[in-house]
Amino acid sequence: MSELVMKYQQYEEYKESGIEWVGSIPSHWEETPVFSCFDATSEKNLDGKEANVLSLSYGNIIKRDVDTNFGLLPESFNTYQIVGVGDIILRLTDLQNDKRSLRVGLAKEKGIITSAYLKLKPKDRLDSVFAYRLLHSYDTTKVYYGLGGGLRQSMKFEDFRRLPILVPPYEEQIQINRFLDYEVVRIDTLIEKQQTLIQLLKEKRQAVISHAVTKGLNPDAPMKDSGVEWLGSVPEHWEVQRFKFLCDQIISGPFGSSITKDMYVKYGYKVYGQEQVIANDFEIGDYFISVKDFENLSRYKVKKGSILISCVGTFGKIAVFPFDAPEGIINPRLIQAKLNSGNDSFFIRELLKSETVYKQFELLSRGGTMGVINISILNEIIVATPNKSEQTEIYEYLVEQQNRFNGLIEKAEQAIQLMQERRTALISAAVTGKIDVRGWRVPDVDSLE
């Protein structure tokens, strides 16, 4: 018996349900097949009278944005089925390939949804919210993936109709709903607080980084006006200059016609692109070129310790090319900046990701294509930098701070995962009769754990 169940009262008498994933149930509960307690009749939207398009997303039925999803929508919604408040929608397709999605949703408004989904309307003996939570608990325990045979990718009502459903007395269903409404809100409130904390920690982490790379670590250092509005004051001994003067070389990747798909081979010199920079992982990727093509494109060879900038649609995605990474070239979606010996690549990487640089990027891109950065823009960006030893000192401080913030964020994320697991387990325990909530009442004093 789980620790969660032990915290609550159990029923006095149980019986075996004969359902593998449920086990024993309260002796006065009934077990009956889907077809005896649900109506699976589907009403098509033939005349297009209903225009409220709904979608099943992460276990919730939500309004679908037909304006921004035009290319993904059918020409006509006449084939969609009409759903009403209290209807339960199940997506029983792609069962073997997708074991992560939540497949059950409860309709809270009238609308239409694709006929590829199964619609169930609970009959009078079954409350719709209880029924939804029961089918949801089957979903979270991955019951549906074992149905329909190993090779079958989807199920229809004919395959689903004999699925066993637990039916407590109606008033008991309502009491279970009251209990779960209260407890789930308590857990969700704690989850929201942790999510807010994570967002605040991320904002604080970025603020610490931005301050360090633009103001330094010494709060008592004499300051001077940088002469640049978005930079403001900087330490007096820092040098203010354009980014191009920090570099020995800045190059873009080869034009598209210089490197084509038919040049790729299974083994050879690696072609690096946005994939590696965005993930900051230079082991991934499987694009290679031959020795001959590498020699022809040697101008675009990646240099150890250089800064690689993703230049299309991903401003702020910047990485330092590792010293132990295999040799290769950059592709057309990267810019490589080879810094001169007076600068620390890791410090400059963080500087380029700062808010002051982003503001300049926005300003310099005005009139051009937002989301695209080029060498001309990079050349004009103004930065303030200390000498290399101070850059390294600042970066080492940033590593410590990032580790501290990342540790706090990880703890909050773990707390969220545990609470989500508790919520799922509590719902399952209540709707399958593992705990007895008939005598439960809302506490006078709310004491969240």
Side-chain angles (χ1 to χ4, degrees), residues 286-382:
D286 54 3
Y287 290 106
F288 301 91
I289 56 174
S290 67
V291 174
K292 179 181 178 181
D293 288 329
F294 178 71
E295 291 174 350
N296 291 335
L297 296 169
S298 60
R299 164 177 166 76
Y300 307 104
K301 178 181 177 180
V302 193
K303 297 177 174 61
K304 312 294 185 180
S306 65
I307 292 180
L308 300 181
I309 303 165
S310 178
C311 57
V312 181
T314 53
F315 180 78
K317 298 300 181 181
I318 303 169
V320 175
F321 188 66
F323 283 86
D324 59 352
E327 280 194 299
I329 65 168
I330 58 174
N331 76 5
R333 290 178 173 264
L334 292 186
I335 293 174
Q336 177 175 217
K338 177 69 172 67
L339 300 176
N340 59 43
S341 59
N343 292 285
D344 182 300
S345 297
F346 294 98
F347 171 86
I348 299 300
R349 179 191 65 188
E350 298 304 322
L351 178 58
L352 289 175
K353 292 160 66 174
S354 69
E355 184 68 19
T356 57
V357 171
Y358 183 75
K359 287 179 180 178
Q360 293 182 68
F361 166 73
E362 284 188 312
L363 180 64
L364 294 169
S365 296
R366 201 162 291 164
T369 304
M370 281 301 295
V372 176
I373 189 169
N374 55 44
I375 291 178
S376 297
I377 291 175
L378 269 178
N379 283 340
E380 296 304 310
I381 286 175
I382 298 175

Side-chain angles (χ1 to χ4, degrees), residues 422-438:
R422 174 182 169 82
R423 180 179 59 194
T424 297
L426 189 63
I427 293 172
S428 180
V431 298
T432 60
K434 300 300 182 289
I435 58 178
D436 183 359
V437 300
R438 289 175 296 179

Side-chain angles (χ1 to χ4, degrees), residues 158-327:
E158 289 74 19
D159 308 304
F160 195 74
R161 64 195 303 271
R162 294 197 177 276
L163 184 78
I165 297 296
L166 305 180
V167 185
Y170 192 83
E171 282 303 316
E172 199 167 331
Q173 296 176 40
I174 302 304
Q175 177 67 358
I176 290 171
N177 287 340
R178 292 193 191 104
F179 167 77
L180 288 176
D181 286 344
Y182 179 80
E183 292 295 339
V184 168
V185 166
R186 280 159 51 97
I187 295 172
D188 286 346
T189 298
L190 291 174
I191 290 174
E192 288 176 7
K193 288 181 178 179
Q194 290 297 314
Q195 289 171 333
T196 299
L197 173 61
I198 289 172
Q199 184 59 37
L200 290 173
L201 287 170
K202 287 181 177 179
E203 291 173 0
K204 178 65 175 175
R205 180 181 62 189
Q206 187 56 47
V208 167
I209 294 171
S210 292
H211 186 273
V213 297
T214 57
K215 306 296 180 184
L217 302 181
N218 181 6
D220 299 320
M223 306 294 282
K224 67 180 179 182
D225 185 355
S226 67
V228 182
E229 181 181 354
W230 50 82
L231 278 180
S233 59
V234 298
E236 192 173 69
H237 63 287
W238 286 25
E239 186 174 0
V240 179
Q241 58 190 321
R242 298 190 188 280
F243 177 72
K244 62 183 177 183
F245 295 117
L246 304 181
C247 305
D248 288 333
Q249 181 190 53
I250 304 177
I251 62 167
S252 297
F255 288 112
S257 58
S258 300
I259 181 169
T260 56
K261 288 185 177 180
D262 59 4
M263 294 169 61
Y264 294 139
V265 294
K266 290 185 178 180
Y267 307 100
Y269 288 93
K270 198 163 185 175
V271 179
Y272 294 99
Q274 289 180 311
E275 178 185 12
Q276 289 80 23
V277 170
I278 291 172
N280 195 27
D281 184 349
F282 290 85
E283 294 184 3
I284 63 175
D286 54 3
Y287 290 106
F288 301 91
I289 56 174
S290 67
V291 174
K292 179 181 178 181
D293 288 329
F294 178 71
E295 291 174 350
N296 291 335
L297 296 169
S298 60
R299 164 177 166 76
Y300 307 104
K301 178 181 177 180
V302 193
K303 297 177 174 61
K304 312 294 185 180
S306 65
I307 292 180
L308 300 181
I309 303 165
S310 178
C311 57
V312 181
T314 53
F315 180 78
K317 298 300 181 181
I318 303 169
V320 175
F321 188 66
F323 283 86
D324 59 352
E327 280 194 299

Side-chain angles (χ1 to χ4, degrees), residues 2-213:
S2 71
E3 183 179 343
L4 173 66
V5 172
M6 291 287 289
K7 293 182 64 175
Y8 296 92
Q9 183 174 333
Q10 283 81 57
Y11 288 89
E12 293 181 358
E13 293 185 16
Y14 285 86
K15 64 182 179 182
E16 282 302 318
S17 67
I19 307 170
E20 180 183 354
W21 60 87
V22 171
S24 59
I25 60 174
S27 57
H28 65 287
W29 284 28
E30 184 182 351
E31 179 265 309
T32 187
V34 162
F35 69 81
S36 71
C37 52
F38 288 99
D39 179 6
T41 304
S42 178
E43 178 187 358
K44 292 291 196 314
N45 189 41
L46 293 178
D47 56 0
K49 61 182 179 181
E50 184 59 56
N52 183 27
V53 183
L54 303 174
S55 176
L56 178 60
S57 176
Y58 300 104
N60 295 303
I61 297 179
I62 60 174
K63 286 180 180 290
R64 191 168 182 181
D65 189 345
V66 296
D67 294 324
T68 59
N69 287 282
F70 178 78
L72 302 175
L73 298 174
E75 294 181 5
S76 169
F77 292 105
N78 291 350
T79 61
Y80 273 41
Q81 60 181 324
I82 296 175
V83 299
V85 176
D87 287 347
I88 298 171
I89 304 299
L90 297 98
R91 182 176 71 84
L92 299 175
T93 58
D94 201 24
L95 287 172
Q96 275 67 43
N97 293 331
D98 177 9
K99 296 190 177 183
R100 298 184 64 184
S101 298
L102 294 176
R103 297 177 173 274
V104 184
L106 178 66
K108 298 179 181 179
E109 59 183 311
K110 187 176 182 181
I112 54 175
I113 201 164
T114 174
S115 295
Y117 295 167
L118 175 62
K119 182 188 80 171
L120 297 178
K121 185 181 291 294
K123 296 181 179 179
D124 291 344
R125 64 191 302 206
L126 201 57
D127 174 74
S128 61
V129 175
F130 174 85
Y132 157 71
R133 282 175 165 155
L134 178 64
L135 291 173
H136 171 75
S137 75
Y138 287 5
D139 188 14
T140 56
T141 51
K142 306 307 176 188
V143 169
Y144 305 131
Y145 303 108
L147 304 176
L151 296 177
R152 189 173 299 176
Q153 296 296 305
S154 63
M155 288 192 298
K156 296 182 180 179
F157 183 67
E158 289 74 19
D159 308 304
F160 195 74
R161 64 195 303 271
R162 294 197 177 276
L163 184 78
I165 297 296
L166 305 180
V167 185
Y170 192 83
E171 282 303 316
E172 199 167 331
Q173 296 176 40
I174 302 304
Q175 177 67 358
I176 290 171
N177 287 340
R178 292 193 191 104
F179 167 77
L180 288 176
D181 286 344
Y182 179 80
E183 292 295 339
V184 168
V185 166
R186 280 159 51 97
I187 295 172
D188 286 346
T189 298
L190 291 174
I191 290 174
E192 288 176 7
K193 288 181 178 179
Q194 290 297 314
Q195 289 171 333
T196 299
L197 173 61
I198 289 172
Q199 184 59 37
L200 290 173
L201 287 170
K202 287 181 177 179
E203 291 173 0
K204 178 65 175 175
R205 180 181 62 189
Q206 187 56 47
V208 167
I209 294 171
S210 292
H211 186 273
V213 297

Side-chain angles (χ1 to χ4, degrees), residues 358-418:
Y358 183 75
K359 287 179 180 178
Q360 293 182 68
F361 166 73
E362 284 188 312
L363 180 64
L364 294 169
S365 296
R366 201 162 291 164
T369 304
M370 281 301 295
V372 176
I373 189 169
N374 55 44
I375 291 178
S376 297
I377 291 175
L378 269 178
N379 283 340
E380 296 304 310
I381 286 175
I382 298 175
V383 294
T385 57
N387 60 41
K388 186 173 183 178
S389 63
E390 188 174 346
Q391 291 180 24
T392 301
E393 179 187 359
I394 291 172
Y395 177 69
E396 289 172 351
Y397 166 80
L398 291 181
V399 171
E400 294 176 1
Q401 292 301 306
Q402 286 178 318
N403 288 339
R404 182 171 71 88
F405 280 108
N406 291 345
L408 294 171
I409 290 170
E410 184 179 350
K411 285 183 180 179
E413 289 173 341
Q414 290 172 347
I416 288 174
Q417 182 176 349
L418 289 173

